[in-house]
Amino acid sequence: FPVYRSYQFHGTDKYLEPNSSRNQAGVVSASEPLKKRLGANLRSYRSKENLSQEKLALRIGFTPRYLAGIERGERNLTLDSVDALADRLGIDSSKLLLGDQDGI
């Protein structure tokens, strides 16, 4: 039997289905590494804001190379770093980690 994980953020339950990239709620599955999800969600945010990696890196105080590593899912950020990054972007850290149904 498949195991479903439930996460609750701000009163909304989201269920993650194993072995699928996204379920009906638009949530990335638990089988994808968290740092890959974080990177994809950060790239989505950057694209939505029409920012280059260089401009976003300057805005948040990272080097473009470090930011690119995060977007590729190669950097292991601490939870404190994720919170600080989300704060600098002006979004909730759960959106960086889980994404958003309507995009970040």
Side-chain angles (χ1 to χ4, degrees):
F1 293 99
V3 176
Y4 294 89
R5 296 181 185 165
S6 173
Y7 297 93
Q8 187 172 25
F9 289 95
H10 305 289
T12 304
D13 283 332
K14 297 193 178 215
Y15 297 93
L16 302 179
E17 295 179 12
N19 303 321
S20 92
S21 60
R22 288 193 177 263
N23 65 14
Q24 286 99 357
V27 178
V28 178
S29 78
S31 64
E32 184 178 6
L34 188 56
K35 61 186 181 178
K36 292 279 189 188
R37 279 189 270 165
L38 172 71
N41 291 334
L42 180 58
R43 182 178 294 123
S44 174
Y45 170 84
R46 183 174 59 77
S47 296
K48 181 180 173 192
E49 297 293 316
N50 295 316
L51 294 170
S52 66
Q53 282 183 337
E54 293 79 14
K55 286 182 182 178
L56 181 58
L58 182 65
R59 178 200 261 183
I60 62 177
F62 290 171
T63 65
R65 184 176 177 152
Y66 188 76
L67 179 63
I70 295 171
E71 287 188 357
R72 288 191 304 269
E74 297 171 351
R75 302 288 181 183
N76 288 314
L77 299 177
T78 65
L79 291 176
D80 288 337
S81 296
V82 172
D83 282 340
L85 176 58
D87 187 53
R88 290 178 184 175
L89 296 173
I91 62 175
D92 191 75
S93 57
S94 66
K95 287 187 178 183
L96 276 180
L97 295 172
L98 296 177
D100 192 41
Q101 280 182 278
D102 304 319
I104 287 187

PDB file of all heavy atoms in Angstrom, residues 63-101:
ATOM      1  N   THR A  63      26.151  35.247  -4.254  1.00  0.00           N
ATOM      2  CA  THR A  63      26.831  35.333  -5.541  1.00  0.00           C
ATOM      3  C   THR A  63      25.959  34.629  -6.571  1.00  0.00           C
ATOM      4  O   THR A  63      25.206  33.699  -6.226  1.00  0.00           O
ATOM      5  CB  THR A  63      28.220  34.662  -5.505  1.00  0.00           C
ATOM      6  OG1 THR A  63      28.053  33.260  -5.287  1.00  0.00           O
ATOM      7  CG2 THR A  63      29.110  35.282  -4.434  1.00  0.00           C
ATOM      8  N   PRO A  64      26.032  35.027  -7.831  1.00  0.00           N
ATOM      9  CA  PRO A  64      25.252  34.327  -8.860  1.00  0.00           C
ATOM     10  C   PRO A  64      25.589  32.838  -8.932  1.00  0.00           C
ATOM     11  O   PRO A  64      24.709  32.012  -9.161  1.00  0.00           O
ATOM     12  CB  PRO A  64      25.642  35.047 -10.158  1.00  0.00           C
ATOM     13  CG  PRO A  64      26.045  36.407  -9.721  1.00  0.00           C
ATOM     14  CD  PRO A  64      26.700  36.214  -8.378  1.00  0.00           C
ATOM     15  N   ARG A  65      26.838  32.498  -8.701  1.00  0.00           N
ATOM     16  CA  ARG A  65      27.246  31.096  -8.740  1.00  0.00           C
ATOM     17  C   ARG A  65      26.581  30.291  -7.619  1.00  0.00           C
ATOM     18  O   ARG A  65      26.128  29.158  -7.829  1.00  0.00           O
ATOM     19  CB  ARG A  65      28.761  31.014  -8.631  1.00  0.00           C
ATOM     20  CG  ARG A  65      29.291  29.623  -8.755  1.00  0.00           C
ATOM     21  CD  ARG A  65      30.802  29.631  -8.724  1.00  0.00           C
ATOM     22  NE  ARG A  65      31.294  28.275  -8.765  1.00  0.00           N
ATOM     23  CZ  ARG A  65      32.450  27.927  -9.252  1.00  0.00           C
ATOM     24  NH1 ARG A  65      33.261  28.845  -9.727  1.00  0.00           N
ATOM     25  NH2 ARG A  65      32.819  26.678  -9.248  1.00  0.00           N
ATOM     26  N   TYR A  66      26.516  30.861  -6.420  1.00  0.00           N
ATOM     27  CA  TYR A  66      25.875  30.184  -5.297  1.00  0.00           C
ATOM     28  C   TYR A  66      24.378  30.027  -5.564  1.00  0.00           C
ATOM     29  O   TYR A  66      23.800  28.960  -5.341  1.00  0.00           O
ATOM     30  CB  TYR A  66      26.114  30.952  -3.996  1.00  0.00           C
ATOM     31  CG  TYR A  66      25.648  30.218  -2.771  1.00  0.00           C
ATOM     32  CD1 TYR A  66      26.389  29.157  -2.261  1.00  0.00           C
ATOM     33  CD2 TYR A  66      24.468  30.566  -2.125  1.00  0.00           C
ATOM     34  CE1 TYR A  66      25.967  28.462  -1.133  1.00  0.00           C
ATOM     35  CE2 TYR A  66      24.044  29.876  -1.000  1.00  0.00           C
ATOM     36  CZ  TYR A  66      24.798  28.830  -0.516  1.00  0.00           C
ATOM     37  OH  TYR A  66      24.373  28.138   0.589  1.00  0.00           O
ATOM     38  N   LEU A  67      23.745  31.078  -6.075  1.00  0.00           N
ATOM     39  CA  LEU A  67      22.319  31.023  -6.405  1.00  0.00           C
ATOM     40  C   LEU A  67      22.051  29.955  -7.458  1.00  0.00           C
ATOM     41  O   LEU A  67      21.089  29.190  -7.343  1.00  0.00           O
ATOM     42  CB  LEU A  67      21.827  32.387  -6.888  1.00  0.00           C
ATOM     43  CG  LEU A  67      20.361  32.471  -7.279  1.00  0.00           C
ATOM     44  CD1 LEU A  67      19.463  32.197  -6.089  1.00  0.00           C
ATOM     45  CD2 LEU A  67      20.055  33.829  -7.876  1.00  0.00           C
ATOM     46  N   ALA A  68      22.910  29.866  -8.472  1.00  0.00           N
ATOM     47  CA  ALA A  68      22.746  28.843  -9.512  1.00  0.00           C
ATOM     48  C   ALA A  68      22.834  27.446  -8.902  1.00  0.00           C
ATOM     49  O   ALA A  68      22.075  26.544  -9.285  1.00  0.00           O
ATOM     50  CB  ALA A  68      23.795  29.022 -10.598  1.00  0.00           C
ATOM     51  N   GLY A  69      23.735  27.263  -7.944  1.00  0.00           N
ATOM     52  CA  GLY A  69      23.853  25.970  -7.263  1.00  0.00           C
ATOM     53  C   GLY A  69      22.601  25.608  -6.487  1.00  0.00           C
ATOM     54  O   GLY A  69      22.189  24.446  -6.450  1.00  0.00           O
ATOM     55  N   ILE A  70      21.973  26.607  -5.868  1.00  0.00           N
ATOM     56  CA  ILE A  70      20.705  26.361  -5.162  1.00  0.00           C
ATOM     57  C   ILE A  70      19.636  25.946  -6.157  1.00  0.00           C
ATOM     58  O   ILE A  70      18.913  24.970  -5.945  1.00  0.00           O
ATOM     59  CB  ILE A  70      20.251  27.614  -4.381  1.00  0.00           C
ATOM     60  CG1 ILE A  70      21.232  27.938  -3.258  1.00  0.00           C
ATOM     61  CG2 ILE A  70      18.844  27.405  -3.815  1.00  0.00           C
ATOM     62  CD1 ILE A  70      20.962  29.280  -2.592  1.00  0.00           C
ATOM     63  N   GLU A  71      19.538  26.676  -7.277  1.00  0.00           N
ATOM     64  CA  GLU A  71      18.514  26.372  -8.277  1.00  0.00           C
ATOM     65  C   GLU A  71      18.704  24.991  -8.896  1.00  0.00           C
ATOM     66  O   GLU A  71      17.736  24.346  -9.277  1.00  0.00           O
ATOM     67  CB  GLU A  71      18.497  27.439  -9.365  1.00  0.00           C
ATOM     68  CG  GLU A  71      17.896  28.747  -8.911  1.00  0.00           C
ATOM     69  CD  GLU A  71      17.699  29.733 -10.038  1.00  0.00           C
ATOM     70  OE1 GLU A  71      18.070  29.439 -11.194  1.00  0.00           O
ATOM     71  OE2 GLU A  71      17.153  30.813  -9.760  1.00  0.00           O
ATOM     72  N   ARG A  72      19.942  24.534  -9.002  1.00  0.00           N
ATOM     73  CA  ARG A  72      20.197  23.194  -9.538  1.00  0.00           C
ATOM     74  C   ARG A  72      20.031  22.101  -8.489  1.00  0.00           C
ATOM     75  O   ARG A  72      20.137  20.918  -8.798  1.00  0.00           O
ATOM     76  CB  ARG A  72      21.624  23.130 -10.113  1.00  0.00           C
ATOM     77  CG  ARG A  72      21.811  23.886 -11.406  1.00  0.00           C
ATOM     78  CD  ARG A  72      23.148  23.559 -12.055  1.00  0.00           C
ATOM     79  NE  ARG A  72      24.280  23.809 -11.164  1.00  0.00           N
ATOM     80  CZ  ARG A  72      24.964  24.952 -11.085  1.00  0.00           C
ATOM     81  NH1 ARG A  72      24.622  25.974 -11.843  1.00  0.00           N
ATOM     82  NH2 ARG A  72      25.986  25.075 -10.250  1.00  0.00           N
ATOM     83  N   GLY A  73      19.774  22.489  -7.243  1.00  0.00           N
ATOM     84  CA  GLY A  73      19.598  21.508  -6.173  1.00  0.00           C
ATOM     85  C   GLY A  73      20.904  20.930  -5.694  1.00  0.00           C
ATOM     86  O   GLY A  73      20.941  19.816  -5.174  1.00  0.00           O
ATOM     87  N   GLU A  74      21.992  21.676  -5.837  1.00  0.00           N
ATOM     88  CA  GLU A  74      23.315  21.196  -5.432  1.00  0.00           C
ATOM     89  C   GLU A  74      23.737  21.708  -4.060  1.00  0.00           C
ATOM     90  O   GLU A  74      24.719  21.231  -3.507  1.00  0.00           O
ATOM     91  CB  GLU A  74      24.360  21.628  -6.456  1.00  0.00           C
ATOM     92  CG  GLU A  74      24.129  21.038  -7.832  1.00  0.00           C
ATOM     93  CD  GLU A  74      25.027  21.620  -8.885  1.00  0.00           C
ATOM     94  OE1 GLU A  74      25.737  22.620  -8.613  1.00  0.00           O
ATOM     95  OE2 GLU A  74      25.025  21.089 -10.008  1.00  0.00           O
ATOM     96  N   ARG A  75      23.040  22.669  -3.507  1.00  0.00           N
ATOM     97  CA  ARG A  75      23.413  23.259  -2.220  1.00  0.00           C
ATOM     98  C   ARG A  75      22.504  22.727  -1.124  1.00  0.00           C
ATOM     99  O   ARG A  75      21.289  22.624  -1.294  1.00  0.00           O
ATOM    100  CB  ARG A  75      23.303  24.783  -2.269  1.00  0.00           C
ATOM    101  CG  ARG A  75      24.132  25.439  -3.327  1.00  0.00           C
ATOM    102  CD  ARG A  75      25.581  25.386  -2.968  1.00  0.00           C
ATOM    103  NE  ARG A  75      26.359  26.054  -3.996  1.00  0.00           N
ATOM    104  CZ  ARG A  75      27.655  26.111  -3.991  1.00  0.00           C
ATOM    105  NH1 ARG A  75      28.336  25.557  -3.017  1.00  0.00           N
ATOM    106  NH2 ARG A  75      28.306  26.709  -4.958  1.00  0.00           N
ATOM    107  N   ASN A  76      23.100  22.414   0.010  1.00  0.00           N
ATOM    108  CA  ASN A  76      22.342  21.970   1.179  1.00  0.00           C
ATOM    109  C   ASN A  76      22.161  23.153   2.120  1.00  0.00           C
ATOM    110  O   ASN A  76      23.077  23.510   2.850  1.00  0.00           O
ATOM    111  CB  ASN A  76      23.079  20.844   1.912  1.00  0.00           C
ATOM    112  CG  ASN A  76      23.040  19.554   1.149  1.00  0.00           C
ATOM    113  OD1 ASN A  76      21.990  19.161   0.668  1.00  0.00           O
ATOM    114  ND2 ASN A  76      24.171  18.900   1.028  1.00  0.00           N
ATOM    115  N   LEU A  77      20.998  23.767   2.070  1.00  0.00           N
ATOM    116  CA  LEU A  77      20.722  24.905   2.933  1.00  0.00           C
ATOM    117  C   LEU A  77      20.167  24.430   4.271  1.00  0.00           C
ATOM    118  O   LEU A  77      19.392  23.470   4.316  1.00  0.00           O
ATOM    119  CB  LEU A  77      19.702  25.839   2.283  1.00  0.00           C
ATOM    120  CG  LEU A  77      20.102  26.461   0.950  1.00  0.00           C
ATOM    121  CD1 LEU A  77      18.954  27.303   0.407  1.00  0.00           C
ATOM    122  CD2 LEU A  77      21.342  27.303   1.085  1.00  0.00           C
ATOM    123  N   THR A  78      20.535  25.110   5.339  1.00  0.00           N
ATOM    124  CA  THR A  78      19.928  24.827   6.636  1.00  0.00           C
ATOM    125  C   THR A  78      18.527  25.422   6.640  1.00  0.00           C
ATOM    126  O   THR A  78      18.191  26.271   5.797  1.00  0.00           O
ATOM    127  CB  THR A  78      20.746  25.451   7.781  1.00  0.00           C
ATOM    128  OG1 THR A  78      20.690  26.872   7.661  1.00  0.00           O
ATOM    129  CG2 THR A  78      22.186  24.960   7.777  1.00  0.00           C
ATOM    130  N   LEU A  79      17.711  25.014   7.588  1.00  0.00           N
ATOM    131  CA  LEU A  79      16.370  25.592   7.697  1.00  0.00           C
ATOM    132  C   LEU A  79      16.450  27.085   7.999  1.00  0.00           C
ATOM    133  O   LEU A  79      15.626  27.859   7.500  1.00  0.00           O
ATOM    134  CB  LEU A  79      15.556  24.863   8.761  1.00  0.00           C
ATOM    135  CG  LEU A  79      15.181  23.425   8.403  1.00  0.00           C
ATOM    136  CD1 LEU A  79      14.465  22.764   9.573  1.00  0.00           C
ATOM    137  CD2 LEU A  79      14.335  23.373   7.156  1.00  0.00           C
ATOM    138  N   ASP A  80      17.434  27.483   8.791  1.00  0.00           N
ATOM    139  CA  ASP A  80      17.622  28.909   9.060  1.00  0.00           C
ATOM    140  C   ASP A  80      17.934  29.662   7.769  1.00  0.00           C
ATOM    141  O   ASP A  80      17.452  30.773   7.553  1.00  0.00           O
ATOM    142  CB  ASP A  80      18.740  29.143  10.074  1.00  0.00           C
ATOM    143  CG  ASP A  80      18.352  28.722  11.487  1.00  0.00           C
ATOM    144  OD1 ASP A  80      17.135  28.664  11.774  1.00  0.00           O
ATOM    145  OD2 ASP A  80      19.268  28.465  12.288  1.00  0.00           O
ATOM    146  N   SER A  81      18.731  29.060   6.895  1.00  0.00           N
ATOM    147  CA  SER A  81      19.057  29.692   5.616  1.00  0.00           C
ATOM    148  C   SER A  81      17.831  29.790   4.713  1.00  0.00           C
ATOM    149  O   SER A  81      17.635  30.778   4.016  1.00  0.00           O
ATOM    150  CB  SER A  81      20.166  28.920   4.901  1.00  0.00           C
ATOM    151  OG  SER A  81      21.360  28.961   5.631  1.00  0.00           O
ATOM    152  N   VAL A  82      17.005  28.752   4.727  1.00  0.00           N
ATOM    153  CA  VAL A  82      15.766  28.780   3.933  1.00  0.00           C
ATOM    154  C   VAL A  82      14.855  29.882   4.449  1.00  0.00           C
ATOM    155  O   VAL A  82      14.283  30.651   3.660  1.00  0.00           O
ATOM    156  CB  VAL A  82      15.046  27.411   3.954  1.00  0.00           C
ATOM    157  CG1 VAL A  82      13.678  27.506   3.290  1.00  0.00           C
ATOM    158  CG2 VAL A  82      15.902  26.347   3.288  1.00  0.00           C
ATOM    159  N   ASP A  83      14.726  29.995   5.772  1.00  0.00           N
ATOM    160  CA  ASP A  83      13.910  31.068   6.351  1.00  0.00           C
ATOM    161  C   ASP A  83      14.453  32.441   5.978  1.00  0.00           C
ATOM    162  O   ASP A  83      13.689  33.343   5.621  1.00  0.00           O
ATOM    163  CB  ASP A  83      13.856  30.944   7.879  1.00  0.00           C
ATOM    164  CG  ASP A  83      12.890  29.876   8.345  1.00  0.00           C
ATOM    165  OD1 ASP A  83      11.995  29.482   7.573  1.00  0.00           O
ATOM    166  OD2 ASP A  83      13.033  29.440   9.508  1.00  0.00           O
ATOM    167  N   ALA A  84      15.769  32.612   6.050  1.00  0.00           N
ATOM    168  CA  ALA A  84      16.382  33.899   5.711  1.00  0.00           C
ATOM    169  C   ALA A  84      16.193  34.215   4.236  1.00  0.00           C
ATOM    170  O   ALA A  84      15.891  35.366   3.869  1.00  0.00           O
ATOM    171  CB  ALA A  84      17.863  33.889   6.069  1.00  0.00           C
ATOM    172  N   LEU A  85      16.337  33.221   3.379  1.00  0.00           N
ATOM    173  CA  LEU A  85      16.141  33.415   1.944  1.00  0.00           C
ATOM    174  C   LEU A  85      14.704  33.824   1.651  1.00  0.00           C
ATOM    175  O   LEU A  85      14.453  34.785   0.911  1.00  0.00           O
ATOM    176  CB  LEU A  85      16.503  32.130   1.194  1.00  0.00           C
ATOM    177  CG  LEU A  85      16.262  32.112  -0.310  1.00  0.00           C
ATOM    178  CD1 LEU A  85      17.035  33.226  -1.008  1.00  0.00           C
ATOM    179  CD2 LEU A  85      16.647  30.758  -0.886  1.00  0.00           C
ATOM    180  N   ALA A  86      13.753  33.108   2.233  1.00  0.00           N
ATOM    181  CA  ALA A  86      12.336  33.438   2.031  1.00  0.00           C
ATOM    182  C   ALA A  86      12.037  34.849   2.535  1.00  0.00           C
ATOM    183  O   ALA A  86      11.302  35.594   1.891  1.00  0.00           O
ATOM    184  CB  ALA A  86      11.447  32.417   2.733  1.00  0.00           C
ATOM    185  N   ASP A  87      12.615  35.207   3.671  1.00  0.00           N
ATOM    186  CA  ASP A  87      12.415  36.555   4.216  1.00  0.00           C
ATOM    187  C   ASP A  87      12.943  37.611   3.258  1.00  0.00           C
ATOM    188  O   ASP A  87      12.283  38.622   3.009  1.00  0.00           O
ATOM    189  CB  ASP A  87      13.100  36.659   5.577  1.00  0.00           C
ATOM    190  CG  ASP A  87      12.796  37.962   6.277  1.00  0.00           C
ATOM    191  OD1 ASP A  87      11.592  38.285   6.425  1.00  0.00           O
ATOM    192  OD2 ASP A  87      13.755  38.661   6.669  1.00  0.00           O
ATOM    193  N   ARG A  88      14.121  37.387   2.694  1.00  0.00           N
ATOM    194  CA  ARG A  88      14.699  38.338   1.733  1.00  0.00           C
ATOM    195  C   ARG A  88      13.863  38.447   0.468  1.00  0.00           C
ATOM    196  O   ARG A  88      13.826  39.492  -0.169  1.00  0.00           O
ATOM    197  CB  ARG A  88      16.120  37.931   1.370  1.00  0.00           C
ATOM    198  CG  ARG A  88      17.101  38.126   2.500  1.00  0.00           C
ATOM    199  CD  ARG A  88      18.468  37.662   2.107  1.00  0.00           C
ATOM    200  NE  ARG A  88      19.400  37.751   3.227  1.00  0.00           N
ATOM    201  CZ  ARG A  88      20.626  37.320   3.180  1.00  0.00           C
ATOM    202  NH1 ARG A  88      21.099  36.758   2.080  1.00  0.00           N
ATOM    203  NH2 ARG A  88      21.414  37.438   4.231  1.00  0.00           N
ATOM    204  N   LEU A  89      13.193  37.341   0.105  1.00  0.00           N
ATOM    205  CA  LEU A  89      12.341  37.343  -1.087  1.00  0.00           C
ATOM    206  C   LEU A  89      10.950  37.895  -0.789  1.00  0.00           C
ATOM    207  O   LEU A  89      10.193  38.190  -1.709  1.00  0.00           O
ATOM    208  CB  LEU A  89      12.216  35.927  -1.653  1.00  0.00           C
ATOM    209  CG  LEU A  89      13.496  35.291  -2.178  1.00  0.00           C
ATOM    210  CD1 LEU A  89      13.237  33.835  -2.533  1.00  0.00           C
ATOM    211  CD2 LEU A  89      14.022  36.050  -3.376  1.00  0.00           C
ATOM    212  N   GLY A  90      10.610  37.976   0.495  1.00  0.00           N
ATOM    213  CA  GLY A  90       9.288  38.466   0.874  1.00  0.00           C
ATOM    214  C   GLY A  90       8.195  37.430   0.692  1.00  0.00           C
ATOM    215  O   GLY A  90       7.037  37.781   0.453  1.00  0.00           O
ATOM    216  N   ILE A  91       8.548  36.147   0.791  1.00  0.00           N
ATOM    217  CA  ILE A  91       7.555  35.073   0.676  1.00  0.00           C
ATOM    218  C   ILE A  91       7.686  34.147   1.881  1.00  0.00           C
ATOM    219  O   ILE A  91       8.656  34.213   2.630  1.00  0.00           O
ATOM    220  CB  ILE A  91       7.718  34.264  -0.634  1.00  0.00           C
ATOM    221  CG1 ILE A  91       9.091  33.581  -0.694  1.00  0.00           C
ATOM    222  CG2 ILE A  91       7.483  35.150  -1.840  1.00  0.00           C
ATOM    223  CD1 ILE A  91       9.260  32.672  -1.894  1.00  0.00           C
ATOM    224  N   ASP A  92       6.710  33.275   2.072  1.00  0.00           N
ATOM    225  CA  ASP A  92       6.727  32.313   3.161  1.00  0.00           C
ATOM    226  C   ASP A  92       7.674  31.167   2.814  1.00  0.00           C
ATOM    227  O   ASP A  92       7.715  30.724   1.667  1.00  0.00           O
ATOM    228  CB  ASP A  92       5.309  31.784   3.383  1.00  0.00           C
ATOM    229  CG  ASP A  92       5.198  30.999   4.662  1.00  0.00           C
ATOM    230  OD1 ASP A  92       5.172  31.630   5.735  1.00  0.00           O
ATOM    231  OD2 ASP A  92       5.164  29.761   4.578  1.00  0.00           O
ATOM    232  N   SER A  93       8.432  30.699   3.778  1.00  0.00           N
ATOM    233  CA  SER A  93       9.395  29.623   3.531  1.00  0.00           C
ATOM    234  C   SER A  93       8.716  28.342   3.048  1.00  0.00           C
ATOM    235  O   SER A  93       9.312  27.570   2.302  1.00  0.00           O
ATOM    236  CB  SER A  93      10.245  29.354   4.773  1.00  0.00           C
ATOM    237  OG  SER A  93       9.436  29.044   5.869  1.00  0.00           O
ATOM    238  N   SER A  94       7.466  28.111   3.425  1.00  0.00           N
ATOM    239  CA  SER A  94       6.761  26.911   2.950  1.00  0.00           C
ATOM    240  C   SER A  94       6.588  26.944   1.436  1.00  0.00           C
ATOM    241  O   SER A  94       6.582  25.900   0.792  1.00  0.00           O
ATOM    242  CB  SER A  94       5.415  26.745   3.642  1.00  0.00           C
ATOM    243  OG  SER A  94       4.540  27.786   3.293  1.00  0.00           O
ATOM    244  N   LYS A  95       6.468  28.127   0.847  1.00  0.00           N
ATOM    245  CA  LYS A  95       6.356  28.219  -0.616  1.00  0.00           C
ATOM    246  C   LYS A  95       7.664  27.830  -1.285  1.00  0.00           C
ATOM    247  O   LYS A  95       7.656  27.260  -2.372  1.00  0.00           O
ATOM    248  CB  LYS A  95       5.937  29.622  -1.040  1.00  0.00           C
ATOM    249  CG  LYS A  95       4.493  29.919  -0.727  1.00  0.00           C
ATOM    250  CD  LYS A  95       4.064  31.230  -1.315  1.00  0.00           C
ATOM    251  CE  LYS A  95       2.607  31.476  -1.031  1.00  0.00           C
ATOM    252  NZ  LYS A  95       2.133  32.709  -1.651  1.00  0.00           N
ATOM    253  N   LEU A  96       8.783  28.145  -0.654  1.00  0.00           N
ATOM    254  CA  LEU A  96      10.066  27.723  -1.219  1.00  0.00           C
ATOM    255  C   LEU A  96      10.232  26.213  -1.132  1.00  0.00           C
ATOM    256  O   LEU A  96      10.775  25.589  -2.033  1.00  0.00           O
ATOM    257  CB  LEU A  96      11.233  28.388  -0.479  1.00  0.00           C
ATOM    258  CG  LEU A  96      11.629  29.775  -0.920  1.00  0.00           C
ATOM    259  CD1 LEU A  96      12.792  30.280  -0.083  1.00  0.00           C
ATOM    260  CD2 LEU A  96      11.991  29.811  -2.394  1.00  0.00           C
ATOM    261  N   LEU A  97       9.757  25.634  -0.054  1.00  0.00           N
ATOM    262  CA  LEU A  97       9.937  24.198   0.142  1.00  0.00           C
ATOM    263  C   LEU A  97       8.903  23.357  -0.588  1.00  0.00           C
ATOM    264  O   LEU A  97       9.223  22.320  -1.142  1.00  0.00           O
ATOM    265  CB  LEU A  97       9.916  23.866   1.638  1.00  0.00           C
ATOM    266  CG  LEU A  97      11.058  24.457   2.452  1.00  0.00           C
ATOM    267  CD1 LEU A  97      10.821  24.226   3.934  1.00  0.00           C
ATOM    268  CD2 LEU A  97      12.388  23.870   2.023  1.00  0.00           C
ATOM    269  N   LEU A  98       7.661  23.794  -0.579  1.00  0.00           N
ATOM    270  CA  LEU A  98       6.581  22.986  -1.154  1.00  0.00           C
ATOM    271  C   LEU A  98       6.018  23.527  -2.460  1.00  0.00           C
ATOM    272  O   LEU A  98       5.311  22.827  -3.157  1.00  0.00           O
ATOM    273  CB  LEU A  98       5.434  22.860  -0.147  1.00  0.00           C
ATOM    274  CG  LEU A  98       5.771  22.131   1.145  1.00  0.00           C
ATOM    275  CD1 LEU A  98       4.582  22.150   2.078  1.00  0.00           C
ATOM    276  CD2 LEU A  98       6.216  20.715   0.858  1.00  0.00           C
ATOM    277  N   GLY A  99       6.295  24.781  -2.758  1.00  0.00           N
ATOM    278  CA  GLY A  99       5.700  25.386  -3.932  1.00  0.00           C
ATOM    279  C   GLY A  99       4.311  25.890  -3.620  1.00  0.00           C
ATOM    280  O   GLY A  99       3.897  25.951  -2.463  1.00  0.00           O
ATOM    281  N   ASP A 100       3.595  26.224  -4.651  1.00  0.00           N
ATOM    282  CA  ASP A 100       2.276  26.806  -4.499  1.00  0.00           C
ATOM    283  C   ASP A 100       1.429  26.352  -5.663  1.00  0.00           C
ATOM    284  O   ASP A 100       1.923  26.229  -6.784  1.00  0.00           O
ATOM    285  CB  ASP A 100       2.402  28.343  -4.492  1.00  0.00           C
ATOM    286  CG  ASP A 100       1.152  29.048  -4.069  1.00  0.00           C
ATOM    287  OD1 ASP A 100       0.496  28.585  -3.127  1.00  0.00           O
ATOM    288  OD2 ASP A 100       0.837  30.078  -4.681  1.00  0.00           O
ATOM    289  N   GLN A 101       0.169  26.084  -5.434  1.00  0.00           N
ATOM    290  CA  GLN A 101      -0.715  25.636  -6.509  1.00  0.00           C
ATOM    291  C   GLN A 101      -0.706  26.602  -7.675  1.00  0.00           C
ATOM    292  O   GLN A 101      -0.716  26.206  -8.828  1.00  0.00           O
ATOM    293  CB  GLN A 101      -2.140  25.502  -5.991  1.00  0.00           C
ATOM    294  CG  GLN A 101      -2.386  24.228  -5.232  1.00  0.00           C
ATOM    295  CD  GLN A 101      -3.826  24.157  -4.802  1.00  0.00           C
ATOM    296  OE1 GLN A 101      -4.193  24.748  -3.806  1.00  0.00           O
ATOM    297  NE2 GLN A 101      -4.619  23.446  -5.539  1.00  0.00           N
TER     298      GLN A 101
END
